[in-house]
């Protein structure tokens, strides 16, 4: 590798690190995206030059001019880049914020598929594994095996996650009898098949490789099917980590240092985020990795039947309560994203603050269906960052709050998570909105949340239901709050 390419790889790596640093804060997220785009563009160009060098394509002739072969190869590369750019840009522009979790899951599946294809291709046409050196060949075969295995798990796990987020598959966990033994058996089979694979002469090990990919695909499918809908944000974060490790494995197979570094950055950051979210939810990261996250051992629990009466309140009555309040906390959920109510929520916030009312937002770690989903929506609407707070400090403030507006949230405000051992979300920390003086829940109806669990919050004495589309309901509240008092 030439000195120029090494410098370019280092520059791309620094840009990726700057990108992760920028994405860690809302204020710098846009700059972080810019660094990432620039770094990826540089990485693709440098990788293209590296590929031509490995393929023996002469880039410049004796006079310093680009050769015909170089023009042809680079032209094909640019056509592929242009097509992918148009496709990616079109998808990104057309997708709604409600569909962003599904898009992220699909993108993870692409990385997994790429790792599988690279593994098969690298096995049939080795790169950087000279056949005359047995040790290096053995290491290369192990790289191919591990990369294809992680890629297959990422591929099918991401597809199942996409289907769950889209609603094609139910959000309820699939709890097969002996599911942990099934997972262990599949994992042992994947490891066991590696022995005949690495000892197979020539390309005769391809059948073992493809059999392993099939087993890993089944394992990835079963792992995610066993995870409940309320915990899908953590799953998306974990799949992001898997995609990074799959990319790093592909880097080893292709002897590409930049791909190794990039994959390691994505894999480690995804793992750290998953651990942080699990700790915030009082879960074990191992339970996520091995499936069945958020479920009791052996069978799903039977939630306690909610008892009480639904108390409905109209928009003008809620507005009257808001105007009379001193402190208001807003809890956004996926329903806010579905109805695109974030703009109206910002207008309501402005109207209340103009009256001297303190307004804050309480964000649960898994609100929505993607890590940071609600934060992105509120930032998009122009809600000041200093008004948005995490769950732990807001749970301390909720008992001193006059009114809590729950906009399209369900599982993250379910008191059964704290006091009902039969609930499938039992043990998950939630926003304790019922401790406020008054809780108003904006929902279309009384349907259960994504986890399929009934919410006793709706039947408490200090809870009022404002039924209807969230955006229209909030717009009605804005109109009432801004209505001048009668003369």
């Amino acid at each position: 590798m030439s000195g120029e390419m090494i410098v370019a790889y280092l520059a791309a790596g620094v840009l990726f690190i700057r990108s992760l640093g920028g994405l860690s804060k809302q204020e710098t997220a846009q700059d972080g995206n810019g660094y990432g785009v620039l770094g990826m563009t540089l990485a693709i160009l440098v990788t293209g030059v590296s590929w031509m060098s490995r393929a023996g394509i002469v880039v410049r002739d004796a006079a310093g001019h680009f050769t015909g072969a170089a023009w042809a190869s680079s032209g094909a590369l640019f056509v592929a880049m242009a097509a992918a750019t148009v496709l990616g840009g079109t998808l990104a522009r057309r997708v709604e914020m409600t569909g962003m979790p599904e898009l992220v899951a699909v993108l993870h599946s692409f990385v997994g598929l790429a790792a599988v294809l690279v593994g098969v291709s690298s096995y049939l046409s080795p790169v950087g594994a000279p056949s005359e050196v047995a040790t290096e060949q053995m290491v290369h075969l192990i790289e191919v095996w591990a990369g294809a295995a992680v890629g297959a798990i990422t591929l099918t796990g991401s597809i199942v996650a996409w289907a769950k987020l889209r609603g094609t598959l139910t959000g309820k966990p699939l709890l097969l009898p002996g599911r942990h033994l099934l997972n262990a058996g599949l994992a042992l089979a994947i490891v066991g098949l590696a022995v005949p694979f690495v000892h197979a002469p020539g390309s005769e090990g391809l059948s073992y490789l493809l059999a392993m990919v099939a087993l890993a695909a089944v394992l990835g499918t079963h792992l995610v099917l066993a995870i409940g809908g309320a915990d899908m944000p953590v799953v998306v974060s974990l799949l992001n980590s898997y995609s990074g490790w799959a990319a790093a494995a592909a880097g080893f197979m292709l002897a590409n240092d930049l791909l190794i570094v990039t994959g390691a950055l994505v894999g480690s950051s995804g793992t750290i985020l998953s651990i942080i979210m699990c700790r915030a939810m009082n879960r074990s990261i191992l339970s996520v990795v091995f499936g069945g996250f958020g479920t009791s051992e052996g069978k799903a629990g039977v939630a306690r039947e909610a008892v009480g009466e639904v108390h409905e309140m109209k928009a003008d009555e809620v507005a009257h309560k808001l105007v009379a309040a001193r402190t208001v906390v807003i809890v956004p959920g996926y329903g806010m994203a579905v109805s695109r109510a974030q703009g109206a929520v910002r207008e309501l916030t402005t109207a209340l603050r103009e009256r001297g009312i303190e307004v804050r937002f309480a964000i649960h770690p898994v609100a929505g269906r993607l890590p940071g989903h609600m934060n992105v929506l509120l930032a998009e609407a122009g809600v000041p960052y200093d008004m948005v707070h995490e769950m732990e400090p807001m749970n301390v403030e909720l008992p001193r709050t006059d009114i809590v507006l729950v906009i399209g949230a369900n599982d993250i405000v379910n008191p059964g998570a704290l006091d009902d051992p039969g609930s499938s979300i039992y043990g998950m920390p939630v926003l304790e909105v019922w401790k406020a003086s008054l809780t108003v829940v904006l929902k279309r109806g009384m349907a259960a949340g994504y986890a399929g669990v009934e919410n006793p919050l709706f039947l408490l004495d200090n809870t009022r239901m404002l039924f209807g589309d969230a955006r229209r309901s909030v717009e009605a509240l804005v109109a009432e709050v801004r209505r001048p008092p009668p003369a």
Side-chain angles (χ1 to χ4, degrees):
M1 185 182 298
S2 66
E4 292 83 358
M5 293 183 62
I6 293 176
V7 172
Y9 273 178
L10 288 174
V14 170
L15 287 170
F16 289 141
I17 294 173
R18 290 290 302 273
S19 175
L20 288 175
L23 292 173
S24 64
K25 296 181 180 179
Q26 293 175 326
E27 297 89 340
T28 58
Q30 190 169 4
D31 293 337
N33 271 325
Y35 288 128
V37 171
L38 183 59
M40 185 56 67
T41 302
L42 178 60
I44 292 174
L45 293 176
V46 175
T47 301
V49 174
S50 174
W51 170 77
M52 287 190 287
S53 175
R54 288 179 178 274
I57 298 174
V58 179
V59 178
R60 295 179 183 271
D61 56 22
H65 300 120
F66 284 102
T67 63
W71 280 114
S73 300
S74 59
L77 177 62
F78 279 117
V79 168
M81 287 177 57
T85 300
V86 171
L87 178 61
T90 302
L91 287 175
R93 287 184 177 276
R94 288 184 177 180
V95 69
E96 300 290 344
M97 277 306 301
T98 52
M100 191 61 69
E102 296 99 293
L103 177 61
V104 172
V106 168
L107 294 177
H108 290 162
S109 72
F110 289 162
V111 178
L113 178 60
V116 172
L117 295 177
V118 168
V120 174
S121 175
S122 182
Y123 175 69
L124 296 176
S125 180
V127 177
S131 59
E132 65 273 11
V133 183
T135 303
E136 291 186 15
Q137 186 182 26
M138 181 72 71
V139 171
H140 177 70
L141 292 175
I142 294 174
E143 291 170 354
V144 169
W145 191 265
V150 176
I153 292 173
T154 305
L155 170 62
T156 56
S158 298
I159 292 175
V160 173
W162 167 82
K164 279 177 170 271
L165 292 167
R166 185 179 176 85
T168 306
L169 292 177
T170 177
K172 294 183 178 181
L174 175 65
L175 304 180
L176 298 178
R179 66 184 187 278
H180 295 308
L181 290 177
L182 174 61
N183 291 338
L186 289 170
L188 289 175
I190 290 171
V191 174
L193 282 174
V195 177
F197 169 73
V198 298
H199 289 96
S203 59
E204 294 182 10
L206 181 60
S207 58
Y208 295 110
L209 180 62
L210 295 179
M212 180 276 295
V213 168
L215 291 175
V218 173
L219 178 60
T221 301
H222 183 242
L223 285 175
V224 180
L225 281 175
I227 298 173
D231 308 309
M232 288 309 295
V234 184
V235 178
V236 172
S237 175
L238 189 65
L239 289 171
N240 176 57
S241 174
Y242 287 173
S243 69
W245 299 126
F252 280 106
M253 287 185 276
L254 298 174
N256 188 301
D257 295 338
L258 182 58
L259 193 54
I260 295 172
V261 172
T262 305
L265 287 173
V266 175
S268 58
S269 61
T271 301
I272 292 171
L273 177 60
S274 300
I275 292 173
I276 291 174
M277 294 182 70
C278 285
R279 287 177 177 174
M281 296 176 63
N282 194 30
R283 305 294 197 186
S284 166
I285 186 65
L286 293 179
S287 63
V288 185
V289 175
F290 295 112
F293 178 46
T295 61
S296 57
E297 185 67 30
K299 64 178 182 177
V302 179
R304 184 173 59 238
E305 182 179 357
V307 179
E309 182 181 353
V310 175
H311 304 280
E312 186 178 356
M313 184 176 280
K314 299 301 181 181
D316 57 343
E317 299 175 294
V318 176
H320 177 74
K321 295 288 186 180
L322 289 172
V323 171
R326 295 171 301 159
T327 57
V328 174
V329 171
I330 299 176
V331 178
Y334 187 68
M336 187 184 78
V338 172
S339 63
R340 305 177 190 175
Q342 59 268 29
V345 170
R346 178 188 56 80
E347 293 180 11
L348 177 62
T349 301
T350 302
L352 292 174
R353 296 183 75 184
E354 289 174 352
R355 289 178 170 269
I357 301 170
E358 182 184 12
V359 183
R360 288 170 293 179
F361 289 83
I363 307 297
H364 192 278
V366 295
R369 296 181 184 176
L370 186 73
H373 199 173
M374 296 300 105
N375 301 77
V376 172
L377 285 175
L378 296 176
E380 179 187 46
V383 174
Y385 299 132
D386 59 357
M387 295 178 60
V388 182
H389 304 276
E390 297 180 357
M391 176 181 63
E392 290 81 0
M394 289 308 299
N395 270 341
V396 177
E397 297 295 327
L398 286 173
R400 299 190 288 267
T401 301
D402 295 326
I403 299 180
V404 174
L405 288 182
V406 179
I407 305 177
N410 200 326
D411 298 318
I412 62 172
V413 293
N414 191 330
L418 302 183
D419 59 14
D420 185 2
S423 174
S424 63
I425 61 173
Y426 178 69
M428 182 182 81
V430 293
L431 283 160
E432 300 169 1
V433 298
W434 56 89
K435 293 184 177 180
S437 299
L438 177 66
T439 302
V440 180
V441 181
L442 281 66
K443 277 178 62 71
R444 292 180 180 272
M446 293 295 293
Y450 188 55
V453 181
E454 297 296 332
N455 193 342
L457 169 71
F458 307 151
L459 306 179
L460 297 180
D461 292 336
N462 65 329
T463 298
R464 298 294 182 269
M465 305 298 296
L466 177 56
F467 293 114
D469 176 79
R471 183 173 65 179
R472 294 180 180 177
S473 295
V474 176
E475 288 174 349
L477 292 177
V478 173
E480 291 292 336
V481 169
R482 287 183 170 167
R483 186 186 303 276

